Amino acid sequence: MTSTAEPVTDAEQSAPVTGGRARGGPVQGPSRGRGVEGGNGPRRRSPVGSRAPLVLLAPAALLLLALVVYPLVRLVVISFQDYGLRAIFTGQAGFAGFANYTGVLTDASFWPVILRTVLVTGAMVLGTIVIGMGVAQLLTRLGVVMRTVVSVVLVLAWAMPNVASSLVWQWLFQPFYGVLNWVITQLRVFGDHTQDNWASHPGQAYTIVLTLVIWQAVPFVALTLYAAQSQIAPEYYEAGALDGATTWTMYRAITLPALAPTLLLVSILSVIWDFNVFNQIWLLTRGGPEEATLTLGIWTFVQSFVSNAYGQGAAIAVISTVILGVLTSYYIRRLVRSGEEDL
């Protein structure tokens, strides 16, 4: 039994096949969206899937608008108004132009306050980072039990509200009943310091403020650096020990480069937090003695809520924001670049 094949014409040989079966079968048209059936053509994203990230980010964006953007815009508006007690009761404030900024910039206290704020912030950040690095290194050398105990103590110190810790610090350095004055007196080396008021001398006032702020900030820095340091592969240290490197050499050549991104991050956060310190200074010294501890945060509060010059207080706050942005912009750019390099 013989079979005969149908003759194929030249038109059928040259006709493009777009889908379905090959020669002799019905030719299917091109499918939409997914290309040839079974192929790897591009897929069209559904409208619901494309809007899902926006829906998920919307609550956080609304909170940022309500808690950050709107107060900042309102602050800038008030800084250009003649805003005082009358404006609070009437709800109406006249336009003052740049008068508030002119009054702040020409004030005799402006440049001393700026310099004092920068120096105090630098001292706080430096002390926090150095001590935090030391505590993080200590945690790597402790056993499991002691490391757990130290970590719990650090977390408890960090979780303590700064108002409560400021009141405890005030009691420690209080005249007549202060624990520290009593201990110094009992040593019988420095004489009788029972009546010593630490807040009445500039040097001693800075001592109690700096120690309090650093004591509160060290736990975060120490635990963050310890978490980063524990991720360093131990093979690097083993290789360094085989090469005869000392502990300090390995810390400088291995640990510090590995901790550089984390150090940069905690430094930026420390600058932002310490630049805006208010509660500790106000509760301990109230900017005294004789404005020796008057920083931008304290000056803003005094102008706004003591002198009732809310417009000038808002102007000082805007200037503080600009200065803080300038101080942290370089480090933020470096942090972003290091993140892009890691990608």
Side-chain angles (χ1 to χ4, degrees):
M1 186 175 178
T2 60
S3 61
T4 59
E6 296 180 359
V8 181
T9 63
D10 295 339
E12 291 178 346
Q13 291 179 351
S14 60
V17 179
T18 58
R21 295 183 298 132
R23 296 185 313 189
V27 179
Q28 299 178 355
S31 59
R32 296 182 179 180
R34 299 184 59 176
V36 181
E37 183 178 356
N40 297 322
R43 297 183 180 182
R44 178 179 297 176
R45 298 179 61 185
S46 64
V48 177
S50 62
R51 288 194 294 266
L54 298 178
V55 174
L56 295 175
L57 291 175
L62 292 176
L63 283 177
L64 287 176
L65 287 174
L67 301 179
V68 178
V69 177
Y70 173 75
L72 186 59
V73 172
R74 182 62 178 159
L75 180 71
V76 174
V77 172
I78 292 177
S79 68
F80 288 98
Q81 293 177 334
D82 184 13
Y83 207 96
L85 287 176
R86 180 180 179 182
I88 293 179
F89 290 106
T90 62
Q92 299 177 354
F95 181 71
F98 290 93
N100 292 324
Y101 290 93
T102 303
V104 171
L105 294 175
T106 56
D107 195 297
S109 301
F110 177 73
W111 290 110
V113 169
I114 293 291
L115 179 61
R116 188 181 303 117
T117 303
V118 173
L119 293 178
V120 170
T121 301
M124 293 177 181
V125 173
L126 181 62
T128 301
I129 298 299
V130 171
I131 299 176
M133 292 172 64
V135 175
Q137 181 68 14
L138 175 65
L139 289 173
T140 61
R141 301 299 182 92
L142 295 176
V144 177
V145 177
M146 285 302 301
R147 183 165 61 244
T148 303
V149 172
V150 174
S151 299
V152 170
V153 172
L154 290 174
V155 171
L156 292 176
W158 184 39
M160 190 174 184
N162 54 28
V163 173
S165 59
S166 299
L167 294 177
V168 171
W169 228 255
Q170 199 175 46
W171 170 70
L172 290 174
F173 293 91
Q174 187 181 22
F176 299 104
Y177 305 104
V179 175
L180 188 63
N181 288 343
W182 179 82
V183 171
I184 295 176
T185 303
Q186 292 302 312
L187 292 176
R188 303 184 186 280
V189 176
F190 304 100
D192 186 5
H193 285 266
T194 306
Q195 302 181 12
D196 190 9
N197 185 5
W198 289 70
S200 62
H201 306 283
Q204 292 178 336
Y206 277 116
T207 300
I208 60 177
V209 170
L210 291 177
T211 52
L212 174 58
V213 174
I214 293 173
W215 176 78
Q216 290 181 305
V218 161
F220 170 77
V221 175
L223 293 175
T224 304
L225 293 178
Y226 167 70
Q229 192 169 343
S230 62
Q231 302 302 314
I232 302 175
E235 289 78 8
Y236 293 110
Y237 297 104
E238 295 174 0
L242 291 176
D243 290 339
T246 61
T247 303
W248 167 247
T249 302
M250 287 190 290
Y251 187 82
R252 179 174 52 84
I254 300 174
T255 306
L256 284 181
L259 293 180
T262 308
L263 278 172
L264 184 60
L265 176 62
V266 296
S267 298
I268 294 173
L269 294 176
S270 297
V271 169
I272 295 173
W273 293 335
D274 295 341
F275 190 87
N276 294 315
V277 165
F278 172 79
N279 288 335
Q280 296 89 327
I281 300 177
W282 182 254
L283 291 174
L284 292 176
T285 66
R286 298 186 179 273
E290 298 179 358
E291 299 186 352
T293 58
L294 185 68
T295 59
L296 280 172
I298 304 297
W299 196 28
T300 302
F301 180 83
V302 170
Q303 290 294 108
S304 300
F305 300 102
V306 177
S307 302
N308 295 323
Y310 298 101
Q312 284 199 358
I316 298 172
V318 172
I319 294 173
S320 302
T321 304
V322 173
I323 294 174
L324 186 59
V326 172
L327 291 177
T328 58
S329 60
Y330 171 73
Y331 298 100
I332 292 176
R333 286 199 304 269
R334 286 191 56 186
L335 184 63
V336 171
R337 290 175 181 174
S338 63
E340 292 176 350
E341 292 174 358
D342 293 338
L343 296 176

